[in-house]
Amino acid sequence: MVIYNAKDYNDMSRKAANIISAQVIIKPDSVLGLATGSTPEGTYKQLVEWYKKGDLDFAKVKAVNLDEYKGLSKDNDQSYAYFMRKHLFDHVNIDINNTFIPNGLEEDSKKECARYNQVIKSLGGIDLQLLGIGGNGHIGFNEPGEAFEKETHCVKLTDDTIKANSRFFASLDLVPKFAYSMGIKNIMQAKSILLVASGKSKADALYKAIYGEIVPSVPASILQLHNNVTIVADDDALSIIKEKGLL
Ligand code: PGA
């Protein structure tokens, strides 16, 4: 595991974008596993800037997202499909037919999870998986639990996650209670993983993920078992790790 200490959010975003752009330059037909949330927004902004300057080409890239709220259509402005278009896909030359995300409108969870697992397999695996981390240690929507969920599954979101995500919705009641998410096995099969974290609210989760026990109550702790993980985190997110003299 390699940990890069970024000064702040902007520095984290630039460093993460550098790693993703290196991946796309070295392998133009990369399969990128992508994430939503506030943390990667700056990373996508930087990638768009470099694309506009002519430094990046997404023509052959394929993108497969971690998760989607169950119940939201891809045109709902809170859906993750909408987020991806707004922050990345609408601004670069990726072929939208090469972008994949669970279908929030499919009510049959079993069917949608099986379909999405098949999508991931048909892409031949993920070259680089971008991850954020929840304050509760979740990755994707793999919430703390009693077992590591393996493949794409339908998740009942925890109260912590619903509360954290309510900042994007008009009220707490409007936050969907369920989501489709890639499982831990899907994530762990990615050839490389890039986790981004910013802010004090992530410090405890990041410390437990990197230095704690590998337990399903901290889903990100499983990453200790992956052989190619890069973490880009700012001073605040690394504050507990630094206080303990571990970095
Ligand atoms: P955030 O979410 O980037 O909006 O903090 C990260 C996550 O919950 O995975």
Side-chain angles (χ1 to χ4, degrees), residues 37-40 132-134 138 167 202:
S38 312
T39 318
I133 183 169
H138 74 199
R167 67 191 194 275
K202 304 298 171 70

Side-chain angles (χ1 to χ4, degrees), residues 10-29:
N10 286 341
D11 189 29
M12 177 206 73
S13 302
R14 256 180 101 78
K15 284 182 164 61
N18 259 308
I19 293 168
I20 297 171
S21 58
Q23 172 70 42
V24 171
I25 290 166
I26 291 166
K27 188 169 185 255
D29 61 348

Side-chain angles (χ1 to χ4, degrees), residues 98-111:
N98 284 336
T99 67
F100 304 91
I101 192 156
N103 175 9
L105 287 188
E106 176 56 67
E107 284 179 17
D108 182 340
S109 300
K110 222 172 134 195
K111 185 172 157 200

Side-chain angles (χ1 to χ4, degrees), residues 21 24 38 64 70 106 138 149 167 172 176 188 197 224 239:
S21 58
V24 171
S38 312
V64 57
K70 186 174 181 186
E106 176 56 67
H138 74 199
E149 291 279 353
R167 67 191 194 275
L172 195 65
M188 289 295 279
Q224 294 175 38
S239 56

Side-chain angles (χ1 to χ4, degrees), residues 199-211:
K200 281 236 157 45
S201 65
K202 304 298 171 70
D204 184 53
L206 199 57
Y207 164 65
K208 288 182 179 148
I210 304 175
Y211 295 101

